[in-house]
Amino acid sequence: MLDILRKGAQGWVAKFLLVLLVASFGVWGISGSILNAGSTAVITVGDTVVSPNEFRLAYDRQVGALSQQIGQRLTTEQARAFGVENQVYSQLIAGALLDEQAREMNLGLSDDRLASLIAEDTAFHDFNGRFDRNNFRRVLSSVGMTEEDYLRSRGQVAVRTQIVEAVSDGFEAPDALIRALAQYDAETRDVNYLLLTKANIDPVAAPSESELSSWFEDNKARYAAPEYRKITYVKLQTEDIADPDAISAEAARADYEARKDRYTTPETRTIDQLVFADRAAADAAAADLESGKSFDDLITDQGRSASDVRIGSFAKSTVPDQSLADAVFAVSEAGGTTPVVDGQFGPVILRVAEITPEDSKSFDEVEAEIREQMALSEAAQVLLDVHDAYEDARASGMTLAEAAAQQKLTPVTIDAIDRSGQTPDGTVVRDIPESQALLRGAFETEVSVETPPINIGSEGFVWFEVNDVTEARDRTLDEVRDQVVTDWTAMKTGEALAARAEELKQRLEKGADLATLAEELAVSVETKYALSRGDTDAVFGEAAVASAFSGPKGLVEVASDASNENRILLQVTSVNDASTVTAASVSEEQRERVSRQIADDILDQMVARLQSEYSVSVNRELAERALAF
């Protein structure tokens, strides 16, 4: 329902209000390294400025939030791929615009109100639900924030909220709009159609040399060879300098013995549990088991199924109710049952359905893994020393290859690569470390110029240099003839198919029958029943669906199919205008979604108006320096 409005939840306002300062306290991995405040600003809106400190902190929060969502810490390259920097710019500009408006309106917040807001924040409450000063300090410390920074930022959020609430709080979409949108969304159509493919037109003749040359000249830019650069890089991470062979057998065995439990999988048991209303019922069931009745019969007597009583497979230490663990693991074999045991939910009898014995890996089985782990640990301790030694070697005049060889690192050379990471044959090079930053730097520097290292996350480096440059140039027709012929043929085929479809459309509009046209083409008339505006499938793409809803019953249209290679000749045979749908049929959740979307639109308009009234400037160079620390 109301699918067309779902994008409303993606507006900057919805996101901005959901990412209030306090929400960031649940984010792990937020950097505590903040720059010293500078005299210049990353963002300036009128008299309101955003410092490098604030930009870096907002960036770290956004990276932390995304890291939590995907379950791993984002690298710099991944953050760029997610567009984190642009998101932070948008959020901070919006916030600065609201701050500047609040300043001009002389809005403020009393110390008492600020104290009340902080005291109400559950992030700082103790187990009794009351504000705890020590908890307050601990939470701020965990996200690398001082009390002064938090108080200022929390006050800013509260003042901004005054403006936001004044503009949009409590807005309710009127019933007339809700009804109109519901009817629009609920409308369905029956559509008859023909799928026209290149089989329905004459094959396109091969182009003449003059046709091909002329078309190539008009589209020469499509086939131009980009600038290529020959690049050599050296990567330094723990795995690049780790030497498992240098770990002695004695050291590896000592580590194995010290952490033997890591290589042992404890015994687990699959448990079925029957809970009884009282002890008397449980004792009676136990007596039935003693007299030969099966556990499965007891399950049936309770009107339950096998899946109802299966609680899972557990090691002894992980049994959910530890009062049952001893009894369960005292059963000698699979299929055995326990006596009556008093569990958390009353008296129970348990059956051990399966037993998976303990499994312990021998030293020989894990020796290679232990050596690798120990080598990586040792490498991590000396990684910065290797970094410094490499830098010193380069400073002394060694080439990249010589400095790398001295540190037992392996240089990698890519003979030719363009800005997008492709080689001349079109292969995408996917294993370049920090590829976006490295390629951007490689195309901004000169040949043989020593460049600073690029950080790989927080524990690695990559150095690179440009060895040679192949300038961009126009390719000749002979170099790309096969591709040009393919493209020209596809273009001409598309034109011929479109012309054929248009001819059939005109015949249909003049009274021809779709079935007759289908017979001429040796294709079948297909039908889409109850097609809605949100439908897409392997045949009808967005364009065909939009065409089907672009006019009244009887409408005839031509549209591209979902693959964009074929054409669909369609005729609307029935329209269900959903006129019986009323506003009352729309759920409260849907009403609220529409109201929020409209409220967000109003706020978007307000911020756009503020941006046109106030001077907004962004110092991206300063922002880049802020992110370099």
Side-chain angles (χ1 to χ4, degrees), residues 411-427:
V412 176
T413 298
I414 305 173
D415 289 327
I417 191 168
D418 67 13
R419 290 177 183 270
S420 67
Q422 292 190 38
T423 58
D425 65 359
T427 301

Side-chain angles (χ1 to χ4, degrees), residues 264-317:
T264 300
T265 302
E267 175 186 325
T268 60
R269 298 193 167 201
T270 302
I271 306 170
D272 296 329
Q273 174 181 270
L274 277 176
V275 182
F276 297 90
D278 51 45
R279 184 73 186 206
D283 288 339
D288 288 341
L289 286 173
E290 287 289 335
S291 64
K293 195 170 189 177
S294 71
F295 192 83
D296 288 330
D297 289 338
L298 294 181
I299 295 174
T300 302
D301 290 345
Q302 287 198 5
R304 309 182 74 184
S305 66
S307 60
D308 293 334
V309 300
R310 177 65 52 86
I311 62 174
S313 298
F314 308 96
K316 187 172 183 178
S317 62

Side-chain angles (χ1 to χ4, degrees), residues 33 75 168 219 298 335-336 374 403 438 498 560 588:
S33 174
T75 65
S168 63
N219 297 274
L298 294 181
M374 293 182 69
L438 193 153
S560 295
E588 280 303 313

Side-chain angles (χ1 to χ4, degrees), residues 574-624:
S574 177
V575 175
N576 168 24
D577 62 7
S579 58
T580 59
V581 175
T582 65
S585 66
V586 179
S587 70
E588 280 303 313
E589 180 183 355
Q590 292 165 342
R591 284 176 173 270
E592 289 175 6
R593 185 165 63 244
V594 174
S595 297
R596 284 197 305 269
Q597 193 271 338
I598 297 174
D600 283 351
D601 283 348
I602 295 171
L603 289 167
D604 281 339
Q605 293 175 37
M606 180 192 74
V607 170
R609 176 66 179 271
L610 292 176
Q611 195 158 358
S612 68
E613 292 181 358
Y614 298 131
S615 173
V616 178
S617 63
V618 178
N619 188 338
R620 289 184 178 267
E621 182 179 349
L622 182 60
E624 288 291 337

Side-chain angles (χ1 to χ4, degrees), residues 305-353:
S305 66
S307 60
D308 293 334
V309 300
R310 177 65 52 86
I311 62 174
S313 298
F314 308 96
K316 187 172 183 178
S317 62
T318 61
V319 174
D321 185 350
Q322 280 293 298
S323 63
L324 309 177
D326 288 338
V328 168
F329 279 79
V331 175
S332 59
E333 60 184 17
T337 58
T338 68
V340 177
V341 183
D342 290 323
Q344 292 179 345
F345 303 105
V348 300
I349 297 177
L350 304 110
R351 175 174 64 181
V352 177

